[in-house]
Amino acid sequence: MIRIAIANQKGGVGKTTTAINLATALAATGHRTLLIDLDPQGNASTGLGIPNLSREWSSYHLLLGECSVEDAVISTKVPKLDIITATQDLSGAEIELIDFEERTHRLDNALAQAQEGRWDICLIDCPPSLGLLTVNAMVAAQALLVPLQCEFFALEGLSQLLQTVDRIRARFNPALTIMGVALTMYDRRNRLTDQVADDVRACLGDVVFNTVIPRNVRLSEAPSHGLPALIYDYKCSGSEAYMGLARELIARLPQRELAA
């Protein structure tokens, strides 16, 4: 199972929207996909229509070792897409994990004990911080996908994230790679958007995906209906962009592992 963490310490850049719709697109292309909601806000869970009452076991219980991956998994309305939900309990997990041994490897250890071959790809939706939850995701992941909003402070935040990735590689996970940077909230009417996009591409080159995710009302509306945008309105520009991003992502995945 290929594990990809979707992370950026800056809030409001489209991490959860990317996680939900990318997971849906991957499932739609035939890949058995597991989405882990590691954000205490639980927006990925809500966006896939999982009510709070159905979240008996969550990523919080998984990190604390109170359940297995199989216990926590819930099937979604999307065929081939499963989710491990998040609850508000997760907000206290960073404090509770301080007393645990290997507190940075809790998620990695839990996923290592999961049923082999059940899923092809695991996406981890991280909180908007570089705390212990995000560190757990980066330690467990083989690769990182970074949603980056097309705005002035984007590169400054990206620099801080890349420094954290270097520290994770040095101490815990030397195999961690950056799968790609996805430009989000792109607005063709705004000159600054084009300038930021050009600056990011000049700085990072081929790491940046060709597909850009536009600002789109349907992407914002879909979560209130408990549906991914790809199901809510598969013809909207946002849905089409995420399908394009999924195709690019699949092309970058190690095909040998994907086939296994």
Side-chain angles (χ1 to χ4, degrees):
M1 179 170 64
I2 300 170
R3 308 175 193 169
I4 303 171
I6 300 176
N8 189 327
Q9 79 278 9
K10 193 175 185 304
V13 300
K15 283 190 300 297
T16 299
T17 300
T18 297
I20 292 172
N21 290 291
L22 198 53
T24 301
L26 290 169
T29 55
H31 298 89
R32 297 164 299 173
T33 306
L34 172 64
L35 174 60
I36 299 178
D37 190 348
L38 213 61
D39 187 342
Q41 297 176 87
N43 290 337
S45 308
T46 303
L48 282 170
I50 310 298
N52 284 317
L53 292 176
S54 298
R55 305 177 197 180
E56 181 180 358
W57 299 107
S58 67
S59 54
Y60 167 79
H61 301 101
L62 187 67
L63 288 173
L64 267 62
E66 297 177 3
C67 71
S68 66
V69 169
E70 286 74 20
D71 291 332
V73 163
I74 296 175
S75 298
T76 71
K77 301 171 186 176
V78 181
K80 295 193 175 183
L81 174 58
D82 296 328
I83 186 171
I84 295 178
T85 61
T87 61
Q88 290 185 351
D89 292 335
L90 198 58
S91 60
E94 297 203 6
I95 297 174
E96 294 182 57
L97 286 173
I98 290 175
D99 295 328
F100 282 73
E101 292 185 9
E102 294 191 318
R103 58 181 176 270
T104 57
H105 289 69
R106 301 294 296 182
L107 183 60
D108 185 37
N109 293 338
L111 289 173
Q113 296 171 27
Q115 179 183 339
E116 189 173 350
R118 181 168 175 179
W119 299 283
D120 302 312
I121 302 172
C122 172
L123 299 181
I124 308 169
D125 183 29
C126 297
S129 70
L130 295 177
L132 194 51
L133 294 176
T134 299
V135 170
N136 260 271
M138 288 186 182
V139 171
Q142 296 151 305
L144 189 67
L145 189 153
V146 184
L148 193 69
Q149 185 179 0
C150 294
E151 66 163 27
F152 181 72
F153 293 113
L155 281 174
E156 184 177 277
L158 180 62
S159 175
Q160 185 180 354
L161 179 65
L162 295 178
Q163 290 174 13
T164 300
V165 171
D166 286 340
R167 287 195 289 268
I168 295 294
R169 283 176 180 155
R171 294 189 59 187
F172 306 118
N173 185 4
L176 182 64
T177 62
I178 296 178
M179 181 71 69
V181 173
L183 297 174
T184 62
M185 302 182 184
Y186 184 83
D187 187 349
R188 296 185 184 278
R189 299 168 299 178
N190 188 335
R191 283 188 178 182
L192 179 61
T193 295
D194 281 325
Q195 183 181 337
V196 171
D198 291 343
D199 288 347
V200 173
R201 293 188 189 282
C203 178
L204 299 176
D206 293 339
V207 173
V208 184
F209 289 106
N210 291 322
T211 303
V212 295
I213 310 300
R215 285 190 180 275
N216 181 246
V217 174
R218 306 300 263 178
L219 286 178
S220 302
E221 290 176 350
S224 65
H225 296 270
L227 292 171
L230 273 75
I231 293 178
Y232 180 65
D233 184 353
Y234 72 93
K235 291 185 177 180
C236 73
S237 61
S239 295
E240 291 177 350
Y242 275 115
M243 285 301 297
L245 182 62
R247 286 191 289 270
E248 280 196 75
L249 178 64
I250 291 168
R252 296 188 184 191
L253 294 175
Q255 297 303 310
R256 184 177 300 176
E257 289 189 39
L258 202 58

